[in-house]
Amino acid sequence: MAPVGPRSGDAIFSSIERINAELFTLTYGAIVRQLLTDLEEVEEVNKQLDQMYSSFCRGYNVGIRLIDEFLAKSGVSRCVDFKETAEAVAKVGFKMFLGVTASVTNWDADGACCSIILEDNPLVDFVELSDTCQGLYYCNILSGVIRGALEMVSMKTEVTWIRDTLRGDDAYELQVKLLKQIAEEYPYKDDE
């Protein structure tokens, strides 16, 4: 019998329990709206959305939770390098958690920087930015979640928005840059 390979994002997405997409989108929108009301400064809201991955869900890190679920349900084995990891995030992770397809492009010569382009973004359904919010990166939580998840698999990254249709661009594009590979620390020695 041949070994079972990793499941595709489509297969995982079709088999997991999902919440109503509109409810999720509207709840996220309410969070962003409340941040805009409380903080008043668009740049501060951008920072809070990016950092939300570490303070969301009563202190549990969304990135940690997602990577744990991703590894448990996807069947993806350890990625050998940053390129393979980026492909897994785009092709399996985005499909698994948001139901959207993403592609990885624009690799630099070192293989340490790429773009993840989303074909669709369910977080922006029903959203239109007012003139006072033109500097807002509405989906900045995605950059924080990606950064947090990759940190849990020993990759320190910088994730920034390059293009956003809410800001008049033609696509959603995140740039993911590997800053350093974090050495894994084991709580015990093999010879003990």
Side-chain angles (χ1 to χ4, degrees), residues 4-13 15-16 66-79 88-89 91-97:
V4 176
R7 295 169 57 195
S8 73
D10 290 326
I12 298 165
F13 185 73
S15 67
I16 61 174
L66 291 180
I67 198 68
D68 285 343
E69 188 166 340
F70 173 82
L71 292 172
K73 292 183 178 179
S74 70
V76 172
S77 60
R78 183 175 203 75
C79 296
V89 167
K91 304 255 187 298
V92 181
F94 273 98
K95 185 65 179 184
M96 186 175 166
F97 294 111

Side-chain angles (χ1 to χ4, degrees), residues 6-103:
R7 295 169 57 195
S8 73
D10 290 326
I12 298 165
F13 185 73
S14 67
S15 67
I16 61 174
E17 186 177 327
R18 292 182 289 281
I19 63 167
N20 180 295
E22 287 182 4
L23 175 63
F24 176 72
T25 300
L26 293 172
T27 302
Y28 180 72
I31 291 169
V32 174
R33 180 74 179 143
Q34 190 62 50
L35 285 171
L36 284 166
T37 301
D38 292 349
L39 301 175
E40 298 175 359
E41 296 286 328
V42 171
E43 278 305 310
E44 189 60 31
V45 173
N46 286 337
K47 288 178 191 173
Q48 288 298 313
L49 289 172
D50 180 65
Q51 291 300 312
M52 201 176 265
Y53 81 93
S54 63
S55 60
F56 205 87
C57 297
R58 295 187 180 186
Y60 288 100
N61 181 312
V62 171
I64 292 171
R65 293 179 62 128
L66 291 180
I67 198 68
D68 285 343
E69 188 166 340
F70 173 82
L71 292 172
K73 292 183 178 179
S74 70
V76 172
S77 60
R78 183 175 203 75
C79 296
V80 295
D81 59 15
F82 182 60
K83 284 186 176 187
E84 193 174 305
T85 303
E87 289 288 333
V89 167
K91 304 255 187 298
V92 181
F94 273 98
K95 185 65 179 184
M96 186 175 166
F97 294 111
L98 288 178
V100 298
T101 304
S103 58

Side-chain angles (χ1 to χ4, degrees), residues 48 75 82 101 107 130 156 190:
Q48 288 298 313
F82 182 60
T101 304
W107 283 100
S130 67
K156 183 153 181 67
D190 287 338

Side-chain angles (χ1 to χ4, degrees), residues 24-36 42 45-46 48-50 52 121-130 133-143 161 164-167 172:
F24 176 72
T25 300
L26 293 172
T27 302
Y28 180 72
I31 291 169
V32 174
R33 180 74 179 143
Q34 190 62 50
L35 285 171
L36 284 166
V42 171
V45 173
N46 286 337
Q48 288 298 313
L49 289 172
D50 180 65
M52 201 176 265
N121 186 346
L123 292 179
V124 300
D125 290 348
F126 319 115
V127 176
E128 193 173 303
L129 295 180
S130 67
C133 297
Q134 289 304 309
L136 177 68
Y137 286 101
Y138 184 82
C139 298
N140 217 27
I141 192 170
L142 293 178
S143 62
W161 283 97
D164 185 342
T165 60
L166 288 177
R167 301 180 83 174
Y172 304 98

